């Protein structure tokens, strides 16, 4: 009877747990290192505690939502697709549902159920709650993993996450380990992160959520860098919400202080239709003050700031609003602008952009091209996607492929 391969998985997040479970099912003996002592800690707080576990889409649709190195992921997604992820959780006893934008959540709306399922998936791994400080490759091709003690393994999978939410254990320490093997680590920056604004209107509108609006991020020349339709949120420091988080992933190499956010508050209406709507609303409220005639067009919290921006006196009667002033209202409804200043800190980012260069990793196996027997999975790789369950699926797909590949001879 052959002795099973001994595999070390460094990192107890979704990629690490998926890699451990896949390797165990392939006959390997797995040790899972997680210094936080809480497997899936970061997973437990995703999706505001609901856990948007994946996106119910095809591989091609998935790749269209990966702005950074999408082609690298084709093999991993083909080997373990969103449908495979849903089937896995179903087999582990978690019932799932698909919501708007094809986002998949547990029916219970409890991220803890996803974490529990992942723990069940890798329950036969030996869990070591020590901080891995160094990994060495020996002359015989095996590895030693240094933590509080030294452990020997046939193969190693590094799935230590990025630098976002460091309180959960994603402290970026595995970048240094990757670099010690000669791997290139591309610049680490926040992705899927809120955006700050110095515009005083943001704290005035704090807590206001705008739904079914469209946005454009404009540079200093007025060129559109990113556009989207959906939901956004005003905060005390600026703007957030799904569209803003996705927009942030396009702004890594751009001075954010030179950018402007343009919000179309009525994207379903062209200028002519919007003018008809204004005329209709105004005719019904002809004797009201301007500031009291916008309730059918705007959320209550937005009316006063909107009126102030329009330049029209708030107490001016609707029946004396001029054609030019009505045009100004239309223009502001279609192009309400917020000055941007900077991305929020990486500690607040949902994911990290940058990491181990995918040029040095085999997309067919997740094995290092520099060190045989060394594999990578998850957020440590230089791959990230939009919000909507895509980043967790990247963790599951790359983790699965790394686990299967590392244990191939088990």
């Amino acid at each position: 009877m052959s002795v099973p391969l001994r595999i070390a998985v460094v990192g107890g997040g979704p990629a690490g747990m998926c890699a451990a479970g896949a390797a165990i099912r392939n006959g390997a003996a797995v040790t899972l290192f997680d210094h936080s002592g809480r497997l899936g800690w970061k997973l437990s707080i995703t999706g505001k505690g609901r856990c948007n576990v994946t996106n119910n889409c095809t591989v091609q649709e998935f790749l269209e939502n990966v702005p950074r190195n999408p082609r690298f992921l084709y093999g991993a997604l083909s080997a373990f697709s969103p449908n495979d992820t849903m089937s896995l959780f179903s087999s582990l006893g978690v019932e799932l549902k698909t919501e708007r934008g094809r986002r998949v959540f547990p029916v219970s709306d409890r991220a803890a159920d996803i974490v529990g399922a992942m723990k069940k998936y890798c329950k036969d791994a030996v869990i070591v709650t020590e901080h891995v400080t160094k990994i060495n490759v020996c002359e015989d091709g095996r590895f030693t993993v240094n933590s509080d003690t030294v452990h020997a393994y046939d193969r190693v999978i590094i799935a230590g996450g990025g630098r976002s939410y460091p309180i959960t254990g994603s402290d970026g320490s595995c970048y240094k380990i990757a670099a010690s093997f000669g791997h290139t680590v591309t610049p680490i920056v926040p992705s899927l992160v809120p955006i700050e604004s110095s515009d005083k209107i943001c704290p005035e509108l704090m807590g206001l959520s705008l739904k079914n609006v469209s946005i454009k991020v404009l540079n200093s020349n007025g060129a559109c860098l990113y556009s989207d339709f959906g939901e956004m949120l005003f905060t005390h420091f600026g703007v957030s919400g799904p569209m803003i988080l996705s927009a942030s992933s396009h702004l890594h190499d751009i001075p954010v202080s030179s950018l402007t956010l343009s919000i179309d508050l009525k994207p379903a209406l062209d200028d002519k239709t919007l003018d008809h709507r204004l005329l209709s609303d105004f005719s019904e409220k002809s004797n009201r003050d301007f500031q009291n005639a916008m309730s059918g067009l705007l959320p209550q919290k937005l009316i006063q700031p909107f009126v102030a921006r329009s330049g029209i006196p708030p107490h001016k009667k609707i029946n004396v609003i001029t054609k030019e002033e009505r045009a100004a209202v239309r223009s502001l409804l279609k192009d309400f602008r917020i000055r941007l200043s900077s991305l929020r800190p990486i500690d607040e980012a949902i994911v990290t952009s940058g990491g181990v260069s995918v040029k040095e990793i085999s997309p067919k196996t997740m094995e290092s091209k520099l060190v045989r027997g060394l594999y990578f999975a998850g957020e440590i790789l230089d791959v990230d996607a939009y919000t909507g369950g895509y980043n967790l699926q990247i963790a599951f797909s790359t983790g699965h492929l790394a686990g299967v590949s590392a244990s191939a001879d088990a």
Side-chain angles (χ1 to χ4, degrees):
M1 185 175 179
S2 60
V3 177
L5 285 173
R6 298 189 62 202
I7 297 176
V9 178
V10 182
M17 287 192 286
C18 200
I24 289 167
R25 279 155 180 73
N26 223 15
V30 176
T31 299
L32 181 57
F33 289 84
D34 185 73
H35 67 90
S36 75
R38 294 178 59 179
L39 293 180
W41 189 357
K42 187 175 178 182
L43 189 59
S44 69
I45 63 175
T46 61
K48 298 178 181 178
R50 295 178 64 215
C51 192
N52 180 188
V53 70
T54 188
N55 193 280
N56 191 359
C57 64
T58 66
V59 170
Q60 186 55 46
E61 288 169 332
F62 191 101
L63 295 175
E64 291 169 1
N65 286 275
V66 182
R68 195 170 181 89
N69 297 319
R71 290 179 62 187
F72 172 78
L73 292 172
Y74 183 81
L77 285 164
S78 297
F80 197 75
S81 68
N83 189 60
D84 293 321
T85 294
M86 290 185 283
S87 295
L88 172 63
F89 282 108
S90 178
S91 72
L92 294 169
V94 180
E95 190 177 354
L96 302 174
K97 60 183 177 180
T98 301
E99 297 187 356
R100 181 174 56 86
R102 304 176 309 212
R103 298 167 188 242
V104 178
F105 293 88
V107 168
S108 66
D109 286 329
R110 296 179 68 248
D113 291 348
I114 298 298
V115 176
M118 290 305 298
K119 288 180 178 179
K120 181 179 178 180
Y121 186 54
C122 62
K123 65 181 177 64
D124 291 329
V126 175
I127 310 300
V128 177
T129 57
E130 297 172 358
H131 200 299
V132 174
T133 56
K134 192 175 183 180
I135 300 173
N136 295 304
V137 60
C138 306
E139 289 185 5
D140 63 0
R142 295 182 180 182
F143 299 85
T144 56
V145 176
N146 295 30
S147 51
D148 293 344
T149 52
V150 179
H151 312 260
Y153 298 95
D154 298 301
R155 291 166 190 178
V156 172
I157 300 170
I158 298 179
R163 280 182 51 201
S164 59
Y165 288 124
I167 191 174
T168 64
S170 294
D171 57 5
S173 59
C174 283
Y175 294 128
K176 185 180 293 186
I177 294 174
S180 73
F181 286 105
H183 276 283
T184 302
V185 178
T186 63
I188 306 302
V189 294
S191 188
L192 300 186
V193 68
I195 303 177
E196 294 184 358
S197 170
S198 59
D199 199 317
K200 65 180 182 180
I201 205 170
C202 291
E204 290 179 32
L205 297 175
M206 180 177 63
L208 175 63
S209 177
L210 297 179
K211 298 181 179 180
N212 299 318
V213 298
S214 64
I215 64 167
K216 292 180 181 178
V217 178
L218 309 175
N219 66 14
S220 56
N221 296 320
C224 180
L225 305 179
Y226 179 80
S227 63
D228 203 351
F229 173 86
E231 184 177 348
M232 61 167 288
L233 173 72
F234 288 96
T235 71
H236 67 284
F237 58 74
V239 287
S240 188
M243 289 194 297
I244 301 301
L245 298 180
S246 291
S248 72
S249 65
H250 291 263
L251 309 180
H252 301 150
D253 304 318
I254 303 168
V256 178
S257 59
S258 67
L259 306 179
T260 301
L261 179 70
S262 170
I263 308 169
D264 185 344
L265 297 163
K266 297 294 173 184
L269 305 178
D270 60 24
D271 191 66
K272 184 177 180 180
T273 307
L274 182 56
D275 195 37
H276 285 310
R277 170 70 185 276
L278 283 173
L279 286 169
S280 176
D281 278 28
F282 286 0
S283 66
E284 293 177 6
K285 304 168 183 177
S286 60
N287 292 319
R288 294 190 186 184
D289 293 348
F290 174 52
Q291 67 177 3
N292 297 325
M294 297 297 292
S295 58
L297 287 160
L298 296 170
Q300 188 61 40
K301 198 167 189 176
L302 183 55
I303 291 175
Q304 187 173 346
F306 183 93
V307 169
R309 286 230 176 149
S310 73
I312 301 171
H315 297 292
K316 186 170 185 176
K317 297 298 181 184
I318 287 296
N319 56 19
V320 291
I321 293 285
T322 67
K323 181 179 180 180
E324 290 72 24
E325 287 173 327
R326 198 172 72 247
V329 172
R330 291 200 312 273
S331 177
L332 195 56
L333 284 168
K334 299 295 286 183
D335 186 14
F336 191 85
R337 297 195 173 197
I338 306 293
R339 298 186 306 275
L340 302 179
S341 56
S342 62
L343 300 180
R344 290 293 280 179
I346 196 167
D347 291 5
E348 298 179 27
I350 293 177
V351 297
T352 304
S353 182
V356 176
S357 173
V358 297
K359 295 178 182 178
E360 300 163 357
I361 308 296
S362 168
K364 295 180 179 179
T365 61
M366 296 295 125
E367 186 176 20
S368 165
K369 293 179 180 178
L370 308 182
V371 181
R372 188 173 182 182
L374 179 66
Y375 298 77
F376 291 90
E379 195 177 346
I380 192 170
L381 293 165
D382 183 18
V383 181
D384 60 274
Y386 298 142
T387 182
Y390 301 104
N391 288 289
L392 269 183
Q393 181 61 50
I394 289 173
F396 294 135
S397 292
T398 57
H400 174 85
L401 184 54
V404 169
S405 302
S407 58
D409 297 329

